[in-house]
Amino acid sequence: MTDPAFNIIIVGGGIAGLAAAIALRAERRNITVLEQSPFNKEIGATISLQPNASKIVEGQWGLEAALKEQGSMVDEAFEVYNTSGTLEMRIPLSTKERFGAERMMYHRADLHQLLKTKATTAASPAPPVQIRVSSRVIGCDCETGEVQLETGEVLHAHLIIGADGIKSTLRTAVLGKEIDALPTGLSAYRMMIPTTKLLQESEFVSVISPEKSCTTMVMGQDRRLVMSPARNGSIYGVVALVPDESMHESSSHTSWTTKGDHSKMLSSFAEFPSWAQRPLHLAKDVGLWQLRDLDPLSSWCRGRVLLIGDAAHAMLPTQGQGASQAIEDAEAVGAFYEDFETKGRPESGLDVQHVNEAIFNCRYDRATTIQAYSRAAAKPATDPGSTKVKMSPAEFMEYNCSYDGALEWARRSTVVS
Ligand SMILES: Cc1cc2nc3c(=O)[nH]c(=O)nc-3n(C[C@H](O)[C@H](O)[C@H](O)COP(=O)(O)OP(=O)(O)OC[C@H]3O[C@@H](n4cnc5c(N)ncnc54)[C@H](O)[C@@H]3O)c2cc1C
């Protein structure tokens, strides 16, 4: 008689959910991802993965060549300007020797699509992950493993991964109460500009080469521009961080697809050097995100359910670690469940609960520390009335990027304590 299959439901098909699907995929496992959206489009934005995560995605999961084909770029430096337009810092980022992998820049849609392909490809001995789109989950019983969909359909699984993002429904099921993400006082405009257009802007290109593989930051006291190329330098991504109150835009906007007001954005950066404002002038579609994060939760797991990614530890994007931590979570889930069927029994709620607790214990301190660092990195970049940039974007890099997977981290933590 063959062993019963291990049935896994992943709620949410974002970066965390797809990464967990890849990490858990194995023979005799049935994995279903339930995604509420129709999945027809990821947002147009650049995303950087830090070495701690790029080594998992590109190395361990073997996506380096496929991402390169889409124009992935190695980030070679942070270049930090002040609002007078002076270059204050150039921090070289060749991180391979130091951290075992590079800081990588992608188009977000490319990363998402390739994770999806890796999870669902038939070219693997393990059954392909099933992705069900337009499938919104409205509730979950953590002890029995019952998942309720908006349509009234009820599904069951031995293990449920809650990867349903910052407004997580599964977080409420795990904690027994609703925990809202907190406004951080910051909002972000995001836009993508074709590099060919920027190259016609002589004032801009006299300072910045938009095809160059580097991240440019222009730091004001309470607002900043973070700009980087993607797809082999053919597009240029800009994130413009502003205090909420200076935008006079509705604070209820938390969706990826909210439209920003172009003229309000321009007036927010009127004091910045005129070359730095050029990409903002050129931007056609401007997205707006009110940035929220979570205080550390008391737990990420209950019974058969484990929270990962933004559902567990949403953080500010000031260190580009949100998706990177989601990928670390996914790798941890894969590592702790790797030989589960030989040691534990999927049908035993207790066996599953114990593994989920071990993952939580392994991941909690690190993700919580990086959440706190992300808040620290959002503090004013200059003193009032001064243009001197007093913070360094590399301040927390040593801790953030020194990572070699969950099992090694757990061993290291045991030795230290
Ligand atoms: C301006 C900005 C810039 C950023 N830049 C970076 C960066 O450079 N590098 C980096 O590492 N991180 C970055 N981040 C953070 C990163 O985008 C997030 O941390 C990451 O996307 C979280 O992934 P996730 O899968 O946990 O959540 P999400 O991406 O939110 O995915 C959750 C998924 O679950 C689905 N879902 C939600 N509820 C349900 C439900 N009830 N039923 C079914 N499905 C559901 C959603 O539709 C969604 O697809 C940035 C964030 C912002 C705002």
Side-chain angles (χ1 to χ4, degrees):
M1 200 175 91
T2 52
D3 296 334
F6 189 7
N7 294 320
I8 301 169
I9 287 177
I10 298 173
V11 181
I15 289 172
L18 294 176
I22 292 170
L24 281 164
R25 194 174 167 187
E27 287 178 61
R28 292 204 306 280
R29 287 185 183 172
N30 301 321
I31 305 179
T32 305
V33 174
L34 300 173
E35 166 56 42
Q36 67 181 0
S37 77
F39 235 9
N40 48 13
K41 143 162 160 255
E42 245 290 339
I43 58 152
T46 49
I47 186 164
S48 64
L49 284 191
Q50 316 311 314
N52 48 307
S54 68
K55 74 169 61 153
I56 297 170
V57 170
E58 295 209 343
Q60 196 172 328
W61 298 342
L63 291 179
E64 181 178 1
L67 284 160
K68 202 168 171 53
E69 222 168 277
Q70 302 302 320
S72 68
M73 298 173 79
V74 173
D75 197 356
E76 285 166 8
F78 288 139
E79 293 188 347
V80 181
Y81 291 81
N82 64 25
T83 51
S84 306
T86 308
L87 179 65
E88 288 221 9
M89 271 174 252
R90 185 173 199 281
I91 303 169
L93 286 176
S94 40
T95 56
K96 188 138 193 172
E97 227 166 82
R98 200 163 145 212
F99 301 120
E102 302 288 4
R103 182 180 200 268
M104 299 301 301
M105 300 182 292
Y106 313 113
H107 190 297
R108 211 183 148 97
D110 298 340
L111 176 63
H112 190 261
Q113 179 57 44
L114 286 171
L115 291 174
K116 192 162 63 162
T117 304
K118 174 85 182 166
T120 55
T121 177
S124 162
V129 170
Q130 303 296 317
I131 298 182
R132 285 182 54 177
V133 294
S134 306
S135 299
R136 185 171 146 69
V137 170
I138 55 163
C140 172
D141 184 322
C142 301
E143 307 306 333
T144 61
E146 182 182 285
V147 174
Q148 300 113 28
L149 281 98
E150 194 176 40
T151 53
E153 190 182 355
V154 173
L155 302 171
H156 285 90
H158 298 120
L159 167 66
I160 297 155
I161 303 291
D164 50 347
I166 193 162
K167 297 191 224 163
S168 172
T169 300
L170 266 71
R171 186 165 67 229
T172 307
V174 165
L175 296 168
K177 60 179 177 188
E178 214 164 302
I179 306 266
D180 287 332
L182 305 167
T184 59
L186 285 173
S187 286
Y189 293 100
R190 263 167 153 183
M191 60 220 98
M192 293 287 255
I193 300 141
T195 305
T196 45
K197 286 211 157 160
L198 269 172
L199 288 172
Q200 292 162 25
E201 295 284 334
S202 54
E203 201 185 2
F204 184 74
V205 294
S206 68
V207 184
I208 305 293
S209 308
E211 294 158 300
K212 200 168 79 177
S213 221
C214 104
T215 297
T216 302
M217 301 179 190
V218 188
M219 303 288 227
Q221 204 227 347
D222 62 356
R223 62 204 66 205
R224 59 186 77 161
L225 296 175
V226 182
M227 309 189 273
S228 48
R231 285 191 180 150
N232 282 332
S234 61
I235 45 175
Y236 201 62
V238 180
V239 177
L241 288 185
V242 290
D244 275 342
E245 64 273 15
S246 72
M247 296 185 348
H248 312 294
E249 296 206 6
S250 162
S251 65
S252 64
H253 292 160
T254 51
S255 145
W256 290 122
T257 53
T258 304
K259 220 170 155 42
D261 182 316
H262 197 240
S263 60
K264 278 179 189 152
M265 175 179 75
L266 290 180
S267 67
S268 295
F269 290 91
E271 305 302 320
F272 274 45
S274 56
W275 60 261
Q277 295 180 42
R278 294 316 303 160
L280 307 183
H281 281 278
L282 291 180
K284 282 255 175 329
D285 292 315
V286 182
L288 173 70
W289 283 257
Q290 190 196 42
L291 298 180
R292 296 185 175 219
D293 70 0
L294 286 171
D295 278 337
L297 303 178
S298 56
S299 181
W300 301 351
C301 57
R302 180 166 166 188
R304 295 187 176 276
V305 181
L306 173 71
L307 303 175
I308 65 167
D310 276 8
H313 47 64
M315 59 187 72
L316 276 167
T318 44
Q319 299 188 104
Q321 277 286 352
S324 299
Q325 286 308 299
I327 286 161
E328 283 190 16
D329 291 342
E331 187 274 342
V333 171
F336 278 80
Y337 273 102
E338 181 162 16
D339 52 0
F340 177 69
E341 290 93 325
T342 60
K343 293 193 301 212
R345 292 159 305 138
E347 66 282 13
S348 159
L350 216 51
D351 288 357
V352 171
Q353 181 183 319
H354 286 153
V355 180
N356 289 346
E357 283 166 0
I359 297 168
F360 169 68
N361 289 331
C362 171
R363 294 287 307 140
Y364 182 77
D365 281 354
R366 179 168 162 79
T368 303
T369 301
I370 294 176
Q371 253 182 322
Y373 287 165
S374 300
R375 280 185 185 173
K379 298 239 165 80
T382 70
D383 286 326
S386 163
T387 58
K388 178 88 196 138
V389 179
K390 60 177 186 178
M391 57 88 74
S392 162
E395 191 178 350
F396 305 108
M397 248 183 125
E398 190 63 40
Y399 179 88
N400 292 351
C401 302
S402 304
Y403 189 74
D404 276 309
L407 297 182
E408 194 278 333
W409 183 264
R411 268 193 295 275
R412 210 198 300 180
S413 312
T414 318
V415 172
V416 170
S417 58

